[in-house]
Amino acid sequence: MSAAGTWNLTTNTPMGAQKGTLELAVDGNSLTGTMSGQQGTIELENGQVDGDSVSWHAKITSPMPMTLEFSGTVDGDSISGSVKLGAFGNATFSGERA
């Protein structure tokens, strides 16, 4: 199933669970979209799709500037994976299609 669409996402960070909305569009192997949450809306960068696998980067400025590196898998109406939090290690994320 395509990754395209709207997802209700939860990222389990060292600062607790962060909830947000992920909007994804797919064009061939290219993944574009936005993430919205407490930080505002962030444009996704370097998005890629390979079968059920997805990956993208999101640059945040709060609580400090950092590039989050997401990689995950779409399974029907579920998405899950890991995110690199720069110097803060790794976290997990999961979500359901809205």
Side-chain angles (χ1 to χ4, degrees):
M1 172 160 284
S2 174
T6 302
W7 300 87
N8 295 317
L9 204 68
T10 301
T11 305
N12 300 302
T13 75
M15 295 172 46
Q18 304 292 316
K19 295 192 179 291
T21 303
L22 181 65
E23 299 271 351
L24 297 178
V26 176
D27 183 9
N29 289 339
S30 177
L31 181 73
T32 58
T34 59
M35 291 180 65
S36 302
Q38 292 179 336
Q39 312 294 333
T41 300
I42 303 165
E43 290 286 330
L44 305 184
E45 299 178 359
N46 304 321
Q48 297 181 23
V49 177
D50 184 7
D52 292 336
S53 297
V54 293
S55 62
W56 68 89
H57 293 173
K59 290 184 179 176
I60 63 169
T61 58
S62 178
M64 63 180 45
M66 152 181 4
T67 300
L68 307 178
E69 299 178 32
F70 288 80
S71 61
T73 304
V74 174
D75 182 9
D77 289 331
S78 298
I79 188 170
S80 62
S82 62
V83 54
K84 293 180 184 176
L85 305 171
F88 297 98
N90 296 324
T92 60
F93 73 89
S94 61
E96 300 293 325
R97 199 177 297 273

